[in-house]
């Protein structure tokens, strides 16, 4: 029994021209810039079965071979595509309402803003637990301001990533909002968790990030292993910091 294979169509000439012009008729990798040139699909044709501007890039034969061989990973290639856009402030991608590079950028921005908000909540928790000069109003204002920025980053990520990504990003945001509300409301559970309770609480946060990562990768037509969980080198399980008050109240026999 034979399986019918979809014949790969030729790249339309107008699209090829746009790709070559975008790269300045040179290899898109800045440290190369060689010729002659070939057109490559970042996510392979065999997976997407279509020619799209945001998923295609111009490379020299050597860099194209290195990319196919895995010497240059897909995440790096999306970044090279993004650098082409950044190098031209008037650049507009044709027929590209949700470019993959833009989604990755929004995802990293979301992570950065959530992490900043997380740190402010942890600082607020510590200030309340250890403070002796009244309620730390300054910490509350800072936390609220970072929450607003995180909300905007959440909305932008959801806009670019689609329904599944929007729901997963909202879940991450809501987890942090509940934590912040519990701290501001002085709920005992925010300051006095057992070790087992803390580990479960922290695991919930971690798994919310895992679910979001999977949704973002699905929108990008990537396997979750093909996109770094975090952009910078950070520990694999980036869990919320333990406030000093909580740490001191853990039972010694847990």
């Amino acid at each position: 029994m034979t399986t019918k294979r979809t014949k790969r169509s030729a790249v339309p000439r107008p699209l090829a021209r746009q790709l070559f012009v975008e790269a300045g008729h040179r290899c898109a990798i800045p440290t190369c810039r060689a010729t002659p040139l070939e057109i490559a699909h970042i996510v392979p044709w065999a997976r997407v079965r279509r020619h799209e501007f945001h998923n295609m890039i111009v490379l020299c034969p050597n860099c194209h071979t290195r990319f196919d061989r895995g010497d240059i990973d897909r995440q790096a290639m999306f970044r090279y595509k993004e650098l082409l856009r950044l190098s031209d402030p008037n650049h507009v991608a044709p027929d590209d309402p949700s470019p993959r590079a833009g989604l990755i950028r929004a995802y990293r921005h979301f992570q950065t803003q959530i992490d900043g908000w997380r740190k402010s909540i942890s600082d607020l928790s510590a200030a309340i637990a250890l403070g002796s000069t009244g309620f730390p109003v300054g910490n509350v204002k800072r936390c609220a301001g970072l929450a607003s920025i995180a909300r905007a980053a959440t909305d932008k990520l959801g806009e670019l990533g689609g329904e599944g990504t929007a729901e997963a990003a909202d879940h991450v945001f809501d987890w942090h909002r509940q934590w912040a509300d519990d701290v501001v409301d002085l709920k005992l559970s925010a300051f006095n968790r057992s070790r087992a309770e803390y580990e479960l609480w922290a695991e919930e946060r971690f798994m919310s990030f895992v679910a979001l990562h999977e949704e973002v990768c699905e929108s990008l037509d990537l396997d979750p292993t093909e996109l770094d969980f975090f952009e910078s080198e950070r520990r694999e399980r980036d869990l919320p910091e333990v406030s000093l008050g909580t740490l001191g109240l853990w039972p010694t026999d847990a």
Side-chain angles (χ1 to χ4, degrees), residues 15-73:
L15 175 57
R17 183 183 302 112
Q18 290 165 344
L19 291 164
F20 281 111
V21 169
E22 175 191 47
H25 285 77
R26 293 280 183 177
C27 178
I29 296 180
T31 53
C32 179
R33 307 301 287 158
T35 59
L37 300 171
E38 300 173 353
I39 295 175
H41 289 76
I42 302 176
V43 177
W45 161 267
R47 284 172 58 177
V48 298
R49 304 283 182 179
R50 55 187 182 272
H51 301 303
E52 296 175 301
F53 181 86
H54 63 261
N55 188 46
M56 301 173 75
I57 194 167
V58 171
L59 301 171
C60 70
N62 183 51
C63 289
H64 195 171
T65 298
R66 292 177 63 207
F67 176 47
D68 288 344
R69 195 168 56 207
D71 297 339
I72 306 172
D73 66 23

Side-chain angles (χ1 to χ4, degrees), residues 103-250:
L103 175 54
I104 293 175
R105 187 170 65 252
Y107 181 37
R108 298 312 184 195
H109 179 67
F110 169 86
Q111 289 179 320
T112 298
Q113 300 311 317
I114 289 290
D115 194 52
W117 185 25
R118 172 189 64 82
K119 291 176 181 176
S120 76
I121 301 170
S122 183
D123 289 344
L124 173 60
S125 179
I128 292 173
L130 301 178
S132 58
T133 58
F135 196 75
V137 177
N139 289 80
V140 174
K141 288 182 178 180
R142 180 172 181 272
C143 189
L146 291 174
S148 296
I149 296 172
R151 180 69 259 177
T154 303
D155 292 341
K156 184 63 176 179
L157 178 58
E159 176 187 332
L160 294 179
E163 184 176 351
T165 297
E167 291 180 357
D170 280 338
H171 184 64
V172 173
F173 179 88
D174 289 342
W175 189 98
H176 289 82
R177 180 174 57 186
Q178 185 61 60
W179 177 25
D181 288 346
D182 288 350
V183 170
V184 172
D185 293 341
L186 303 180
K187 287 190 176 181
L188 184 61
S189 60
F191 300 93
N192 188 13
R193 291 185 176 90
S194 68
R195 186 182 298 273
E197 289 171 338
Y198 172 77
E199 289 178 350
L200 178 60
W201 175 74
E203 182 73 11
E204 289 175 355
R205 176 181 188 264
F206 176 70
M207 293 309 298
S208 71
F209 273 103
V210 170
L212 174 59
H213 188 76
E214 291 175 346
E215 289 292 346
V216 169
C217 288
E218 183 174 344
S219 297
L220 292 167
D221 290 322
L222 295 176
D223 185 274
T225 61
E226 293 181 290
L227 184 67
D228 291 342
F229 199 51
F230 292 100
E231 186 171 31
S232 58
E233 292 297 326
R234 300 167 62 181
R235 66 184 187 275
E236 185 176 330
R237 294 170 64 84
D238 184 44
L239 302 177
E241 295 176 354
V242 184
S243 72
L244 297 177
T246 303
L247 182 61
L249 293 172
W250 270 354

